[in-house]
Amino acid sequence: MQSRFFASFFRSVVPRSVVMAGLLTILSIAGPLAARADEGMWLPLYLDKLNHARMQALGLQLPADEVFSNDKNSLKDAIVWFNGGCTAEVISKNGLILTNHHCGFTEIANHSTLQHNYLQDGFWAQDYKEELPNPGLTVSFVRSMTNVTKNLLEGLDPYNLSDADKATLRSRVADLTKSLNKNEGKGTEVLIRPMYYGTEYYAFVLETFRDVRLVGAPPSGVGKFGGDTDNWMWPRHTGDFSIFRIYANKNNQSATYSAENVPYQPQRSLTISVQGIQPGDFTMVYGFPGRTQEYISSYQLELITEVQNKYKINLRTQRLKVIDAAMASAPSLRLMYADAQATIANAWKKWQGENKGVARLKTLEAKRKEEIRFADWAGSNSAETISNLVGHNRNYAEVVPSLARWTDSLRTVALATDYYREAILGNGLLNFATTWEDALKSMRKMGGQAPAPDKVASRLKSLSAQNKEYYSQHDEAVERQLLAICLRAYYLDISPAFHTPELQKLVKQHGGDFDKLAAELYAKSLLANATTAGKGLQMLLKGDTSKISKDPALVLFRSFNRQYASTLVPRYQRFSQQLETATGLMLEGNRAKNKEKSNIKYYPDANSTLRVAYGQVNGYSPQDGVQYKHYTTLDGVVAKHNPDIEEFNVPKGLLDLHASKDYGRYAVNGTVPVAFTASNHTTGGNSGSPVLDARGRLIGTNFDRCWEGTMSDLQYDKDQCRNIVLDVRYTLFIIEKLGRCQRLIDEMNIE
């Protein structure tokens, strides 16, 4: 499940607004030094210039402007950014969209109760009236993509920006954003993103829809089949899909939820092919890949794999042990923690595969050799020669030493920054403390005095709703154990220089016993459970904020947050910005020296903007003596069936269909295809992306990568990197035969 961790992380730290140079160093965009084989997540704006000939050689039968065009309807108009973290595709003229089950998991879970457990049993709306609204869920179409580098950087050197230059850049971004919004009309927003470490800029005009309703989802025995055991693995048998519908007002324009809204009539919907696939067939993935770091330095790669990944894996292992035990102990806890467990486990398993892949490929050694070659080139060319190549005065001889120096600086704060997210914000109680802290700040601004003003009462009503949601998803006994684990890890793994005085005091008071520390914190905090939190709300209603302000959970969170904001963030941003500048300079130099080499092409790293990846249907060999086929079938699903293990418990209805061979038009050689692998370069954010054939028809939905290839965010390997695709024939089979929702089949265009 590529996108679960990415989606939640991205939405929490990245506003959907213009990202300007130097303002968001953590997620700045880099570009690889040179694409190898068919790797790459390419800007569709340049397919005709950079990729179309190669795509045709692999089998593509469409002109470039049918794949992407700013001037006419194209395949891009059937692709949506799903809630800022996944991708979905339009599959009917009535706004039906298809994405992954794990992308829609939160919405499915939110609608589930013990009486109507849609996660466990599935959900199929038999008419429009049964389709379920999802407040806050959005989908966005890219209506245009434009290179605006000249508009923004003319007369500026992106790596030597004075304060005045930065002000000029900000002003240009604001003016351009306003202009594009005005030109494109109402209901749109403009996203401006830097590429290649800020040396190029692109403007994306988005049309965002805010009434998106749940239409269908298979039972967890299909949509989450294999669970964490099979996650990131091949062979795979997961029916990882869910279906939503976009609604619009009567003028077919974006609108917030209303009972008067009607199904959206899209500019483009995908034709679906059930004609099947063969090894070597052309495949194309269209979507919004989240983040890659293909050509960071050897120094930064070592920091990621040997420090950051290593410690985060260990902490998540401990958290998962507690959550898994709780989920196994009671059905209510299984439902309560299903979403959290899947989110935590997803990145945990991915990081392990990433580390193994980097080690297997000897990526560190390869990067070190590359850096030596770059330093030799920089030292053997005059300043005048380099200046003529680049167009700016550069001293590339200092780049590699700078990469080493700034990575060493970043090393001092990187893990502490990670642990603020993993152990502090990753903990239920301390994360929820942020909600109460925000409420207190609002009260102070509004002058919370009894009797409470209307605005205060409204704010507390919102807090009451947030309380209800939080306590429905967190168990006090489980959370107490998790708090002990998180605080212990922070204290033992992070340098004492980043221990807050409040943490040191608590550890000393309890003799280093973190279980006792957590127990006492819960015993004294009003945030411990719904009952005590209710008492806290009553205090706030009376205008009494003093006791809440001194609550031990808030005091502890406040100490971490204060240190994060005042110490960690400034250092992290400063070191990251310097490191990214050095990495960008190395990239700039390589692009310049290879400018005349037609066989070397560059693509910008993923940054949640619309991209195309292309490849072929293929199996792979994960190790010596083992060769995986490119497909799996329903026979394999049934072979894995185990009613005693939740994640491998096949629904009875599916077992009955298998026994009776009631497969309809989806039958192939006495079974039903389930999934297949291809060589497309994908990452988090590509979950839910359509996988298209040579004619642009939908043949599957991207949902994962093989474990041996998860290092593709750092280095692509043509032999091991395989994206895992849900065969559209299995999707349709489940909808029609298991879900008995023929109305959905009838509104699709199927060939």
Side-chain angles (χ1 to χ4, degrees), residues 152-377:
L152 299 181
L153 292 183
E154 188 170 20
L156 302 178
D157 180 349
Y159 292 129
N160 286 292
L161 293 173
S162 66
D163 289 343
D165 291 338
K166 291 175 183 177
T168 297
L169 180 57
R170 285 192 292 268
S171 177
R172 289 176 179 178
V173 168
D175 291 344
L176 182 61
T177 300
K178 184 177 180 180
S179 172
L180 290 172
N181 263 328
K182 181 179 179 181
N183 292 339
E184 294 295 331
K186 266 181 111 175
T188 61
E189 57 183 313
V190 176
L191 193 69
I192 295 180
R193 286 288 174 89
M195 308 283 178
Y196 304 108
Y197 283 92
T199 58
E200 294 181 16
Y201 282 80
Y202 292 78
F204 300 82
V205 176
L206 308 181
E207 184 177 13
T208 298
F209 289 81
R210 306 183 186 284
D211 185 356
V212 185
R213 305 184 193 181
L214 177 64
V215 176
S220 59
V222 174
K224 204 172 180 295
F225 184 77
D228 297 319
T229 301
D230 279 1
N231 190 23
W232 299 105
M233 306 300 286
W234 184 259
R236 195 69 174 276
H237 299 86
T238 312
D240 194 349
F241 76 94
S242 58
I243 299 175
F244 292 78
R245 192 185 304 277
I246 305 170
Y247 277 73
N249 64 22
K250 292 181 179 180
N251 295 319
N252 206 38
Q253 296 172 333
S254 174
T256 56
Y257 171 79
S258 168
E260 302 301 315
N261 287 348
V262 296
Y264 172 63
Q265 305 300 297
Q267 296 182 21
R268 182 77 170 246
S269 61
L270 297 178
T271 297
I272 298 171
S273 171
V274 294
Q275 296 173 17
I277 47 96
Q278 297 295 329
D281 282 357
F282 175 83
T283 56
M284 175 170 61
V285 173
Y286 221 146
F288 295 84
R291 187 193 184 200
T292 56
Q293 297 174 288
E294 295 293 336
Y295 285 88
I296 54 175
S297 70
S298 65
Y299 308 100
Q300 191 174 357
L301 179 66
E302 185 176 30
L303 173 61
I304 290 171
T305 57
E306 300 301 318
V307 179
Q308 293 175 277
N309 281 0
K310 177 181 176 181
Y311 279 90
K312 289 188 294 184
I313 289 167
N314 182 55
L315 175 54
R316 290 199 177 201
T317 299
Q318 297 176 64
R319 293 166 66 195
L320 285 169
K321 184 177 180 180
V322 170
I323 291 173
D324 289 344
M327 291 177 69
S329 70
S332 60
L333 291 178
R334 176 173 292 279
L335 184 60
M336 180 181 289
Y337 280 95
D339 195 10
Q341 196 273 354
T343 298
I344 295 168
N346 189 49
W348 168 77
K349 195 168 187 177
K350 187 257 187 182
W351 290 328
Q352 294 177 68
E354 186 172 80
N355 279 7
K356 286 182 178 293
V358 166
R360 175 178 54 80
L361 291 173
K362 298 182 179 179
T363 308
L364 276 174
E365 293 88 334
K367 285 180 178 289
R368 286 166 182 153
K369 291 177 181 178
E370 185 177 300
E371 287 152 8
I372 290 171
R373 289 193 296 271
F374 181 86
D376 289 344
W377 169 79

Side-chain angles (χ1 to χ4, degrees), residues 310-526:
K310 177 181 176 181
Y311 279 90
K312 289 188 294 184
I313 289 167
N314 182 55
L315 175 54
R316 290 199 177 201
T317 299
Q318 297 176 64
R319 293 166 66 195
L320 285 169
K321 184 177 180 180
V322 170
I323 291 173
D324 289 344
M327 291 177 69
S329 70
S332 60
L333 291 178
R334 176 173 292 279
L335 184 60
M336 180 181 289
Y337 280 95
D339 195 10
Q341 196 273 354
T343 298
I344 295 168
N346 189 49
W348 168 77
K349 195 168 187 177
K350 187 257 187 182
W351 290 328
Q352 294 177 68
E354 186 172 80
N355 279 7
K356 286 182 178 293
V358 166
R360 175 178 54 80
L361 291 173
K362 298 182 179 179
T363 308
L364 276 174
E365 293 88 334
K367 285 180 178 289
R368 286 166 182 153
K369 291 177 181 178
E370 185 177 300
E371 287 152 8
I372 290 171
R373 289 193 296 271
F374 181 86
D376 289 344
W377 169 79
S380 62
N381 284 275
S382 67
E384 182 180 2
T385 299
I386 289 176
S387 178
N388 289 335
L389 279 173
V390 180
H392 297 289
N393 293 323
R394 293 287 185 257
N395 181 10
Y396 287 129
E398 287 298 314
V399 167
V400 174
S402 292
L403 288 168
R405 182 170 63 254
W406 290 114
T407 302
D408 282 343
S409 297
L410 185 64
R411 189 185 300 268
T412 63
V413 295
L415 189 60
T417 303
D418 284 345
Y419 264 41
Y420 176 78
R421 302 189 192 107
E422 291 284 321
I424 307 308
L425 294 184
N427 175 260
L429 179 68
L430 295 177
N431 190 306
F432 191 50
T434 65
T435 302
W436 279 76
E437 185 73 359
D438 289 343
L440 284 173
K441 289 178 181 178
S442 297
M443 292 278 291
R444 294 187 189 108
K445 288 180 181 179
M446 292 184 285
Q449 299 175 357
D454 290 344
K455 288 185 178 180
V456 174
S458 176
R459 181 67 183 85
L460 295 182
K461 183 178 180 181
S462 174
L463 179 59
S464 178
Q466 291 170 307
N467 279 350
K468 183 177 180 181
E469 180 181 6
Y470 173 79
Y471 293 111
S472 70
Q473 298 173 355
H474 297 80
D475 175 79
E476 182 178 352
V478 174
E479 293 301 319
R480 191 165 55 243
Q481 295 178 67
L482 292 173
L483 178 62
I485 287 171
C486 288
L487 292 180
R488 181 185 295 112
Y490 193 98
Y491 187 81
L492 296 179
D493 296 345
I494 301 304
S495 166
F498 300 116
H499 292 173
T500 69
E502 289 79 0
L503 177 62
Q504 292 175 329
K505 180 180 177 181
L506 287 172
V507 173
K508 185 176 181 180
Q509 285 177 348
H510 296 86
D513 189 326
F514 288 89
D515 293 322
K516 288 182 179 179
L517 189 163
E520 183 171 329
L521 197 65
Y522 262 86
K524 292 182 177 180
S525 175
L526 288 169

Side-chain angles (χ1 to χ4, degrees), residues 554-595:
L554 267 71
V555 169
L556 183 58
F557 162 73
R558 207 175 287 135
S559 72
F560 283 115
N561 192 55
R562 185 167 55 245
Q563 182 194 67
Y564 177 74
S566 65
T567 305
L568 291 175
V569 169
R571 294 186 190 182
Y572 191 98
Q573 289 189 338
R574 176 173 172 248
F575 300 152
S576 293
Q577 191 169 31
Q578 295 292 343
L579 180 57
E580 288 169 356
T581 295
T583 309
L585 285 168
M586 184 170 176
L587 168 62
E588 181 189 64
N590 276 290
R591 292 182 77 187
K593 72 186 179 71
N594 293 319
K595 190 174 182 178

Side-chain angles (χ1 to χ4, degrees), residues 646-668:
E646 181 76 16
E647 60 189 12
F648 291 106
N649 188 11
V650 180
K652 182 179 183 302
L654 188 54
L655 292 173
D656 291 344
L657 288 168
H658 179 264
S660 66
K661 307 298 180 187
D662 183 11
Y663 302 148
R665 59 175 161 174
Y666 312 112
V668 177

